[in-house]
Amino acid sequence: MKIFDLWDIAEVKVEDPGLRRYISLDARLLPKSHGRERERFSKGRISIVERLINKVQIPGHRGKKHKIMTRSTGKFSSRAKDVIEAFKIIEKQTNQNPIAVLIKAIENASFCDETTTIEYGGARYLQAVDTSPSRRLNAALRNLSHGAHDKAFRKRIGFPEALATELIAASNNDAPKSFAVSRKNEMTRQSDAAR
């Protein structure tokens, strides 16, 4: 069985050993769990394509600005159409399986270290900490979605083209073109300085 009856995932492999347990590549015609997975750490059983669609459809804000940055309606079917269109663009431009390009983009956009604030003696310090694989995956998907929304916001290109551009740039580890890879490099620099 193929995802959306278009792309086979039999040859897609996850190279990162930390993310291998949390990236689900189940062969489903329509990757939608309808919210059935409610146990702890059950996100690892949800298809990675469904998790991308869920991240894309969230109308959210960044940080503490409270500025709505997406024009999403929250409809799964309309966001799924955008993701399918982006995958078709990726397949046309790279002649590769778009699911493999998505996996490579997630691996390149996920950071291993981040910083946390420690208060000691009335002063606050940044301390470098290791990032859990589940948080690495969530942050990579969120940054890929933010980068695609940035590329499409008040621009002439549509969201599927912007998502395809972001995924291709992240899979090529191209920091100037990919928002997610540049965020990963910035987070790595901050954690190295806080050691």
Side-chain angles (χ1 to χ4, degrees):
M1 188 172 296
K2 301 178 179 180
I3 288 185
F4 298 119
D5 204 20
L6 295 171
W7 298 288
D8 189 18
I9 56 170
E11 71 270 2
V12 177
K13 302 287 184 223
V14 181
E15 300 294 327
D16 193 331
L19 295 176
R20 192 173 294 144
R21 198 172 126 196
Y22 292 92
I23 294 179
S24 174
L25 293 170
D26 291 339
R28 296 180 190 168
L29 184 63
L30 179 64
K32 184 164 170 102
S33 63
H34 296 282
R36 290 187 193 103
E37 303 290 341
R38 291 181 178 249
E39 300 168 12
R40 192 171 183 199
F41 302 115
S42 61
K43 285 184 180 179
R45 292 193 295 266
I46 298 173
S47 173
I48 194 66
V49 177
E50 180 185 353
R51 291 186 70 182
L52 175 67
I53 295 169
N54 289 340
K55 284 292 180 189
V56 163
Q57 76 177 351
I58 296 172
H61 57 82
R62 256 194 235 165
K64 296 177 182 169
K65 294 180 184 177
H66 296 291
K67 174 184 141 193
I68 300 252
M69 46 146 300
T70 65
R71 294 187 179 268
S72 176
T73 60
K75 295 284 275 183
F76 186 88
S77 58
S78 59
R79 296 307 120 208
K81 287 178 187 176
D82 288 345
V83 170
I84 291 170
E85 194 64 36
F87 283 173
K88 287 180 180 177
I89 294 169
I90 290 170
E91 189 175 36
K92 185 187 280 187
Q93 287 182 1
T94 63
N95 292 326
Q96 295 178 3
N97 188 346
I99 309 296
V101 172
L102 170 66
I103 298 299
K104 190 66 177 169
I106 290 171
E107 289 174 351
N108 289 339
S110 62
F111 47 83
C112 297
D113 300 326
E114 59 184 326
T115 57
T116 187
T117 305
I118 304 281
E119 189 164 342
Y120 183 74
R124 293 184 178 186
Y125 302 102
L126 289 178
Q127 177 67 40
V129 293
D130 293 336
T131 307
S132 70
S134 175
R135 177 161 166 73
R136 287 176 63 198
L137 181 58
N138 285 338
L141 287 172
R142 184 184 65 234
N143 288 333
L144 288 168
S145 172
H146 284 335
H149 280 294
D150 281 349
K151 285 180 175 57
F153 185 67
R154 293 186 181 167
K155 305 288 191 310
R156 291 186 177 179
I157 65 171
F159 182 74
E161 293 88 4
L163 182 61
T165 305
E166 178 69 25
L167 289 176
I168 290 170
S171 69
N172 294 333
N173 212 2
D174 192 0
K177 292 182 181 176
S178 172
F179 173 79
V181 176
S182 62
R183 284 287 296 157
K184 173 198 169 187
N185 293 342
E186 179 186 337
M187 194 67 72
T188 305
R189 264 196 311 274
Q190 285 178 0
S191 61
D192 287 344
R195 289 194 190 280

